[in-house]
Amino acid sequence: MRSFPSAAGRRTTAPVALLLTLLTALVCAVAAYAGPLAHADEKDDLEKQKDQVQSQIEQAQHDAEEASKAVDAAEKALAQAESDLVTAQGRLGTAQDAAAAATAQLTQAEALDAQMQASLVAAQAALTQAKAELAAGQDALTAQQAKVKQTVVDIYQQGSPQLMAITGYLSAQTPADLTRKLEYADNVIHDQGTLFAQLHEAEVALSAKKDAVKAAEVTAAGQADEAAQHLVTVQELKADADAAAAAAYAAQEQVTVTVAAREKAQRKAERARKADLAELEALKKQEERIKQRIIAAAAADTSTGYVGADDGFLLPPVTGPVTSPFGYRIHPIYGYWGLHDGTDFGVSCGEGMRAAADGKVIERYYSAVYGNRLYVSVGKVNGHALTVVYNHATSYTVDVGDSVKRGQVVGYVGSTGWSTGCHLHFTVLQDGTAVDPMGYL
């Protein structure tokens, strides 16, 4: 039978992968040690050690199956939840970094946008001022033109200043009168020159104001274009920042959901483990009752039975490789120091299982742990009551009370109970206690 008694100092939660790594390292160390200079007996000893370690590796691989499918599924779900949580946390960190970077870029862009808007306002104000000055210049030029026009009209009405000077010279009665008339003519001529000079200055000033307006228009238009283009950049950065913030929020939500999923998986795994342990406890009680029946039947049997060599007494129940041997080990799921109470043979489902010896079927039932089970008593062997047990079968061809002959097909290999693949778990009970089947095969 398979039992998992608690053992102080023996409990462990190390995964099978770690055990496989350690055992593989030991295999490599053994192989490396067996150098060409070693003696033949040392080589043989090292080969035996290597084979033993390889057997332990296969045993460890098989141990992973020694739990119900519910536990197996729960363990896988828990491992996936743990992996998902790590992934989600990594994505959250990345998303938060992206959101922070996007927000920083947006802040810088908004600050630059504010500067550009201020420059645009200043350029527009300068343009308004230039236009106002141009309008004032235009008004001044118009007034100056009107004044010159009026002067020209007056000149034509009064005569040429030069002619007036000559007329005054001819009509002067005294030198003083001549001087006065010449001075008047000079003043008129000077005033005309001043008016024309002022008109020219107004035209030059107006032209400069027009140039200033054009320059202000170009500056304002450039500032407006730059501001408009930068506004697009700001809007894009804001969209990026919003998207990054949304991604960070979604990542945070995913972490929250994944944490909840992990906790749920943990609870489910614990429930499955408890259910498995309850099944194991019920199985041990049932096996104990069968053991007591075997012991009682042996005590009542006064026959001598078989006396002779144990090796080869039993016929191998199937033709297939040993995938996990009999022996004690740390249970990979529950951490107990327990007994793998039989030898596992790797055989395809549906293969026939043979009776290992002549005997009688004493028990047949379904176990959540071992699936379909069959107990066959093969009588006394060297004074001990010997019983063989077939486990995980798809079905059996015999029932309780039936007699079987050595080599007879008693059932078919399956994967019922705590099994993840087709195989035969073959147990040998000596006086109701599990022993290594290989000692009888």
Side-chain angles (χ1 to χ4, degrees), residues 102 106 110 233-244:
L106 177 61
E110 288 176 335
T233 300
V234 170
Q235 291 172 340
E236 290 175 349
L237 288 174
K238 187 176 186 307
D240 291 343
D242 291 341

Side-chain angles (χ1 to χ4, degrees), residues 294-305:
I294 291 172
I295 293 174
D301 185 3
T302 59
S303 64
T304 302

Side-chain angles (χ1 to χ4, degrees), residues 44-59:
D44 292 342
D45 183 59
L46 290 173
E47 285 297 327
K48 289 180 181 179
Q49 292 181 43
K50 182 179 177 181
D51 291 342
Q52 181 180 4
V53 171
Q54 185 60 42
S55 177
Q56 290 174 330
I57 291 174
E58 293 174 353
Q59 163 188 315

Side-chain angles (χ1 to χ4, degrees), residues 120-441:
L120 176 59
V121 170
Q124 290 173 336
L127 175 60
T128 300
Q129 180 66 28
K131 286 182 177 179
E133 292 176 355
L134 175 62
Q138 183 67 55
D139 291 343
L141 178 61
T142 300
Q144 188 65 30
Q145 287 174 337
K147 191 173 182 180
V148 170
K149 181 179 180 181
Q150 184 62 43
T151 300
V152 171
V153 171
D154 291 343
I155 288 173
Y156 277 100
Q157 289 178 346
Q158 295 178 8
S160 170
Q162 288 82 0
L163 182 60
M164 289 173 61
I166 294 172
T167 302
Y169 173 74
L170 294 176
S171 62
Q173 298 298 321
T174 64
D177 185 30
L178 177 62
T179 299
R180 185 177 64 252
K181 288 184 178 182
L182 290 175
E183 287 178 351
Y184 173 75
D186 288 340
N187 287 335
V188 170
I189 293 172
H190 179 268
D191 290 343
Q192 290 177 357
T194 300
L195 287 175
F196 280 107
Q198 290 175 345
L199 178 61
H200 178 69
E201 290 175 358
E203 289 175 342
V204 171
L206 183 63
S207 177
K209 287 181 174 58
K210 287 181 179 179
D211 291 341
V213 168
K214 289 180 179 179
E217 286 176 339
V218 171
T219 300
Q223 291 289 345
D225 288 342
E226 290 180 5
Q229 291 173 3
H230 189 68
L231 179 60
V232 173
T233 300
V234 170
Q235 291 172 340
E236 290 175 349
L237 288 174
K238 187 176 186 307
D240 291 343
D242 291 341
Y249 177 78
Q252 180 61 60
E253 287 295 303
Q254 185 60 42
V255 168
T256 302
V257 170
T258 308
V259 168
R262 181 187 63 175
E263 292 174 351
K264 181 179 179 180
Q266 286 175 330
R267 292 192 298 270
K268 187 172 182 179
E270 287 302 320
R271 289 195 300 269
R273 290 190 189 102
K274 288 180 181 178
D276 275 11
L277 295 177
E279 291 285 357
L280 285 171
E281 188 62 29
L283 176 65
K284 285 191 285 186
K285 291 179 180 178
Q286 186 170 11
E287 289 179 333
E288 181 60 29
R289 289 193 295 269
I290 295 174
K291 178 179 179 179
Q292 295 305 318
R293 285 171 49 194
I294 291 172
I295 293 174
D301 185 3
T302 59
S303 64
T304 302
Y306 171 81
V307 176
D310 294 336
D311 186 20
F313 173 76
L314 295 178
L315 176 72
V318 290
T319 300
V322 173
T323 57
S324 185
F326 175 92
Y328 281 90
R329 78 285 307 274
I330 297 295
H331 192 281
I333 302 298
Y334 306 112
Y336 295 130
W337 180 250
L339 176 66
H340 181 247
D341 67 354
T343 297
D344 288 344
F345 296 93
V347 190
S348 301
C349 281
E351 292 289 332
M353 298 181 297
R354 300 184 293 268
D358 293 348
K360 183 177 181 179
V361 179
I362 61 172
E363 191 68 56
R364 171 181 163 175
Y365 65 90
Y366 180 84
S367 161
V369 178
Y370 282 114
N372 290 317
R373 308 193 79 186
L374 185 75
Y375 286 73
V376 177
S377 172
V378 295
K380 284 187 176 180
V381 177
N382 293 323
H384 298 288
L386 208 64
T387 306
V388 295
V389 186
Y390 301 79
N391 302 280
H392 302 302
T394 296
S395 62
Y396 292 106
T397 60
V398 293
D399 209 338
V400 176
D402 290 348
S403 295
V404 298
K405 291 295 183 181
R406 181 184 179 90
Q408 175 185 340
V409 174
V410 296
Y412 300 97
V413 172
S415 184
T416 55
W418 292 2
S419 170
T420 59
C422 299
H423 73 288
L424 167 62
H425 179 93
F426 184 68
T427 302
V428 174
L429 303 178
Q430 184 176 282
D431 297 326
T433 300
V435 296
D436 189 353
M438 303 309 291
Y440 285 97
L441 294 176

